[in-house]
Amino acid sequence: MNSIKKPLAVAIMGPTASGKTAAALHIAAQLPCEIISVDSALVYRGMDIGSAKPSLAERAAVPHHLIDILEPSESYSVMQFRQDAIRLVSEINARGKLALLVGGTMLYFKALRDGLDDLPQADKALRAQLDADIAAFGSPALHARLQTLDPITAARLKPNDTQRIQRAMEIQLLTGQPMSALLDKAIKVELPFTLLPFALEPSDRSVLHQRIALRFDQMLNASPGLLDEVRNLRSRGDLHPQLPSMRCVGYRQAWEYLDGEIDLHSLREKGIAATRQLAKRQLTWLRSMPDRIVVDCLAPDAAQNILEQVQAHLG
């Protein structure tokens, strides 16, 4: 690594159930590595089953970072992730190891690569006002209002995407400018390391869908399982369905089931469908990264393929 002008970091990206953790562990068994999680659900303590968090044994075998750093009642911003990831890559490199950035939260990867826009921080008073508007009129009404102020942003958000609609409205009201205009002014910030980006993508989408269904069933049928986990989270008394943690795929549907809104069959069907939609969005994000190195996640030698390319890059 000393022959490289900048320290190297490797990104292992991919949709849910594409084998990212297994690939990272395979590489770490051959090279001195530490893993940085790039997953917005893994930051939360007590959310292990539904987030497919690496096991304690896996985390003991290889140092992992940005896992179990927050309570589910707290929030973790893209800016916090970027700052943490850059700091951790530097620290890992100083220890003479290779940083593996592993996960499926594509917004985190994009922020890391492209930098962040100069958007205002959250305003508690304004957010409380918007929360009240949503409670009184619903998020579709706020979405309709956003359409008149920032049609570009509104066009890419679904009317029930409460969290993102709220943030877009907050930026509009705080700055007097649409979020889309501010995003267009983004200045690319050069990273202090070289990022080698691999994308685990399926050659056959239907096989990935089968993997997703199998894994969701395993989460439901495990002992303890996803429903046990969400029951425990609900029993804390400080969580609600609008929190970013509880809006994660699987947790949202389990909460609806425990509220009596859907039956067990609907929980399974909705959970699998939502996970497939997540995978579709992740693949769309990946296709917008033209410099990624695509590896078929269904190939039996996918992890070895990535390892050999990393070794070649290291010389």
Side-chain angles (χ1 to χ4, degrees):
M1 277 185 278
N2 294 332
S3 62
I4 301 172
K5 291 182 181 179
K6 287 184 181 181
L8 179 71
V10 172
I12 301 178
M13 308 175 289
T16 184
S18 60
K20 299 180 291 294
T21 295
L25 292 172
H26 179 80
I27 293 166
Q30 303 297 321
L31 297 172
C33 297
E34 295 187 27
I35 294 172
I36 301 171
S37 170
V38 188
D39 190 302
S40 59
L42 298 194
V43 298
Y44 297 115
R45 290 186 281 271
M47 293 175 57
D48 304 333
I49 299 166
S51 66
K53 190 174 290 179
S55 68
L56 292 176
E58 290 169 336
R59 289 149 64 185
V62 185
H64 283 66
H65 303 275
L66 302 187
I67 293 178
D68 289 348
I69 60 172
L70 293 176
E71 291 299 319
S73 56
E74 299 175 298
S75 60
Y76 188 63
S77 71
V78 178
M79 181 181 295
Q80 286 173 291
F81 166 78
R82 190 174 196 275
Q83 292 170 344
D84 286 342
I86 290 174
R87 171 182 55 81
L88 286 165
V89 170
S90 176
E91 292 173 358
I92 292 166
N93 181 254
R95 289 191 283 269
K97 295 183 179 181
L98 176 67
L100 302 179
L101 293 120
V102 183
T105 301
M106 300 306 163
L107 183 59
Y108 285 4
F109 278 117
K110 178 174 171 53
L112 182 65
R113 289 159 45 98
D114 299 341
L116 288 166
D117 311 288
D118 189 19
L119 299 178
Q121 293 293 309
D123 181 279
K124 288 185 178 179
L126 179 55
R127 186 154 289 191
Q129 178 187 325
L130 292 171
D131 278 338
D133 289 346
I134 291 168
F137 308 110
S139 59
L142 198 64
H143 183 263
R145 185 178 169 196
L146 181 64
Q147 282 181 314
T148 65
L149 298 170
D150 186 358
I152 294 174
T153 300
R156 65 180 181 81
L157 299 179
K158 293 182 179 179
N160 61 352
D161 194 346
T162 306
Q163 188 178 349
R164 291 183 176 86
I165 293 169
Q166 183 188 59
R167 178 60 176 153
M169 281 297 302
E170 182 179 50
I171 290 168
Q172 171 73 43
L173 295 172
L174 286 172
T175 66
Q177 299 181 67
M179 186 169 77
S180 54
L182 294 175
L183 291 175
D184 284 342
K185 297 176 184 176
I187 299 173
K188 188 171 178 64
V189 179
E190 190 172 342
L191 286 172
F193 52 84
T194 298
L195 188 65
L196 187 62
F198 292 93
L200 284 164
E201 301 179 24
S203 54
D204 185 341
R205 190 81 64 91
S206 67
V207 178
L208 182 69
H209 287 175
Q210 291 169 14
R211 283 190 184 182
I212 287 169
L214 175 62
R215 190 166 76 171
F216 198 81
D217 284 337
Q218 289 171 339
M219 290 176 180
L220 286 177
N221 297 327
S223 181
L226 175 59
L227 286 173
D228 299 307
E229 185 168 74
V230 178
R231 282 191 189 96
N232 287 336
L233 291 166
R234 285 162 62 99
S235 69
R236 292 166 47 118
D238 62 341
L239 304 179
H240 56 81
Q242 281 69 49
L243 285 168
S245 59
M246 294 299 101
R247 290 179 60 79
C248 291
V249 169
Y251 291 91
R252 182 167 67 249
Q253 291 77 23
W255 194 289
E256 291 176 0
Y257 169 79
L258 294 172
D259 268 349
E261 296 177 10
I262 57 176
D263 60 17
L264 193 58
H265 174 76
S266 296
L267 161 61
R268 179 184 182 275
E269 294 301 308
K270 290 183 71 173
I272 291 172
T275 311
R276 287 177 177 174
Q277 283 297 313
L278 171 62
K280 182 179 179 181
R281 291 194 301 272
Q282 290 168 317
L283 289 167
T284 299
W285 273 97
L286 286 170
R287 285 195 293 271
S288 71
M289 300 177 179
D291 62 335
R292 75 195 189 285
I293 302 165
V294 178
V295 175
D296 181 7
C297 68
L298 306 181
D301 62 346
Q304 182 64 22
N305 184 341
I306 296 175
L307 171 63
E308 290 174 1
Q309 293 193 63
V310 171
Q311 290 173 322
H313 198 85
L314 291 170

